[in-house]
Amino acid sequence: MNLHAFTEQSKKIKREHQSLIHRKNRRQRHGNGIFDRYENPVLTLEHTPLVWRYDFNHTTNPHLMTRLGINCVFNVGAMNWNDGVVLMARVEGWDRKSFFAVAESQNGVDNFRFWDYPVRMPELEPQETNLYDMRLVRHEDGWIYGLFCAERHDDSKSGDLSAAVARCGIARTRDLVTWERLNDLRTPALHQRNCVLHPEFVSGKYAFYTRPMSDFAATGSGDGIGWGLVDDITKAEVKTESIIDPRFYHTIKEGKNGLGPAPIKTEKGWLHLAHGVRNTAAGLRYVLYMFLCDLKNPEKTVASPGGYFLAPEGDERVGDVSNVVFANGWVARKNGDVLIYYGSSDTRTHVATTTLAKLLDYVINTPSDAMRSKLCVDQRCQLIAKNLQKK
């Protein structure tokens, strides 16, 4: 490619990128009354800065090739930032390695722009291979914490190149740029993914939501969402772990479940968003569900609607790992709006919007899972009878 063609092609690529960044995102026409989906994902591989992917020097890249490719952008942490919203995205390269990067938007539904550089997360040890799925928590101690999966090969299974150990990495920051890496969380279980820090002290201690498992990824190898207290977060160790949200047979969380983002504090209790997994003939199916915990005793569940809150639909069902939605970030705005960020099929990031009032109504007034077909029919017949009486 000669220099003129190189320059023109560069301009075209940059125009298309700017058009994507500035694209307005609109609500889908038909919602379910609980939340609204949007027409477009808020982050995709195409949203990542071009300078992360291309070498725009004609001498060193005369064919304008992608030099460092991006495969997908998903599973974001989220928080209020100044007057807008920031997302801590999991960005995966063509090399399968994930890294963290911050994207910022004024309204939280479109016009997300990545900061110039990815996060330079300090390495805890050379064996650490992959970092991903960060939960952002602004704790009452004044720090912003990031909890994420820190994965490395399981060297006890040297012949199995897919064997891995999952630990909960912990880091803290003031500005989302400079990070202090702390020791990984220690618990009685070897594997810990999807761990979350409670945003307030509990009895003067740091409180962690955990997901103990005896295997890196296998369903049925853990009991559910755990809870434990820690004295010193710089040397975090949960010595006693209790299960606050267990798995159940023939439910959306039969295979495994894990907490999403840190809970939102409301006058009615701590509002939680979690993911549930079940096995199907087509593979694992991930959905989102909700529950509410007591305000003074955050380890105590007080309301738990039956079934899923959000499941993959349409194009969301297609991607690197199909039929999956996963959330580890949401934001409660001052006006009562709640923005829920979820990854679809390990490929892209979407937003759903609702309000705190709607979510509390949903969680408190939606019937719990009756656990048997007969009782589920009874629930539905009661609703039908109630509606027919009004005719």
Side-chain angles (χ1 to χ4, degrees):
M1 185 184 300
N2 62 40
L3 180 58
H4 175 74
F6 181 94
T7 302
E8 292 304 308
Q9 182 65 13
S10 297
K11 290 179 180 179
K12 179 183 177 183
I13 291 172
K14 292 174 182 178
R15 284 196 304 268
E16 291 174 348
H17 185 257
Q18 286 301 308
S19 177
L20 174 67
I21 298 298
H22 291 295
R23 182 177 62 185
K24 186 173 178 58
N25 209 358
R26 295 179 176 82
R27 288 186 177 90
Q28 292 184 359
R29 287 187 178 181
H30 303 293
N32 56 16
I34 308 169
F35 59 81
D36 290 303
R37 275 180 159 92
Y38 281 70
E39 292 179 354
N40 303 311
V42 294
L43 289 179
T44 67
L45 69 90
E46 288 88 1
H47 285 81
T48 57
L50 296 174
V51 294
W52 292 10
R53 295 179 268 152
Y54 290 91
D55 175 359
F56 285 105
N57 186 306
H58 181 255
T59 301
T60 54
N61 189 23
H63 301 288
L64 198 55
M65 295 180 178
T66 300
R67 286 298 190 209
L68 290 173
I70 302 295
N71 183 55
C72 46
V73 180
F74 61 115
N75 294 5
V76 304
M79 66 187 301
N80 288 305
W81 190 257
N82 299 325
D83 294 327
V85 172
V86 289
L87 304 182
M88 182 62 73
R90 173 182 178 178
V91 182
E92 184 183 274
W94 285 357
D95 58 7
R96 199 185 163 194
K97 307 302 183 297
S98 294
F99 57 87
F100 301 120
V102 178
E104 185 173 1
S105 165
Q106 191 67 29
N107 63 18
V109 299
D110 52 29
N111 286 277
F112 273 99
R113 286 182 175 274
F114 280 96
W115 291 3
D116 286 345
Y117 287 90
V119 171
R120 293 178 178 269
M121 182 61 66
E123 194 172 55
L124 193 64
E125 59 183 32
Q127 292 84 359
E128 201 170 65
T129 304
N130 206 30
L131 307 179
Y132 52 89
D133 296 356
M134 182 185 290
R135 277 77 171 171
L136 283 175
V137 182
R138 195 186 294 273
H139 196 273
E140 69 168 320
D141 71 359
W143 285 96
I144 298 169
Y145 287 91
L147 274 69
F148 47 88
C149 182
E151 180 186 323
R152 65 268 287 160
H153 180 254
D154 186 352
D155 290 337
S156 69
K157 303 175 181 177
S158 58
D160 185 354
L161 295 182
S162 297
V165 174
R167 295 179 184 169
C168 171
I170 306 173
R172 63 186 180 185
T173 183
R174 303 285 190 187
D175 57 9
L176 302 180
V177 176
T178 303
W179 291 82
E180 177 189 1
R181 187 71 185 269
L182 306 179
N183 292 335
D184 289 346
L185 177 67
R186 296 178 61 190
T187 72
L190 174 62
H191 298 276
Q192 285 289 0
R193 301 168 78 187
N194 304 301
C195 294
V196 181
L197 178 65
H198 190 70
E200 295 183 359
F201 289 112
V202 175
S203 301
K205 300 178 185 294
Y206 292 91
F208 283 81
Y209 302 93
T210 62
R211 206 273 291 277
M213 297 188 74
S214 58
D215 184 87
F216 172 72
T219 57
S221 65
D223 295 323
I225 297 173
W227 166 268
L229 301 179
V230 164
D231 295 318
D232 182 357
I233 198 166
T234 65
K235 301 175 183 177
E237 181 177 6
V238 172
K239 295 181 179 178
T240 303
E241 211 170 8
S242 59
I243 300 299
I244 66 170
D245 188 57
R247 299 185 298 117
F248 283 101
Y249 166 70
H250 211 81
T251 64
I252 58 166
K253 52 182 179 177
E254 177 181 276
K256 54 185 175 181
N257 57 330
L259 199 61
I264 296 174
K265 188 177 185 180
T266 77
E267 60 181 11
K268 301 290 186 180
W270 291 98
L271 193 62
H272 286 275
L273 180 67
H275 64 270
V277 185
R278 69 181 178 96
N279 219 334
T280 74
L284 300 180
R285 173 173 165 85
Y286 279 67
V287 298
L288 304 181
Y289 69 96
M290 299 191 71
F291 60 97
L292 187 71
C293 285
D294 185 77
L295 199 58
K296 295 183 179 180
N297 301 286
E299 74 281 8
K300 180 182 178 182
T301 301
V302 295
S304 182
Y308 62 73
F309 168 74
L310 188 151
E313 291 184 357
D315 292 344
E316 297 172 354
R317 299 185 66 248
V318 180
D320 276 7
V321 184
S322 297
N323 211 17
V324 169
V325 286
F326 186 95
N328 49 292
W330 62 359
V331 173
R333 306 292 274 168
K334 290 181 180 179
N335 64 357
D337 289 344
V338 177
L339 293 83
I340 301 169
Y341 298 96
Y342 63 98
S344 72
S345 297
D346 282 13
T347 302
R348 61 196 78 80
T349 302
H350 306 263
V351 66
T353 57
T354 182
T355 66
L356 206 53
K358 286 182 179 180
L359 292 180
L360 286 172
D361 186 320
Y362 167 77
V363 171
I364 294 171
N365 296 313
T366 301
S368 59
D369 193 324
M371 306 306 289
R372 306 198 324 264
S373 290
K374 177 189 180 304
L375 299 183
C376 291
V377 171
D378 290 344
Q379 282 181 340
R380 203 166 297 272
C381 287
Q382 289 172 10
L383 177 62
I384 293 169
K386 180 181 178 181
N387 285 317
L388 293 179
Q389 285 174 0
K390 293 185 177 181
K391 290 188 175 181

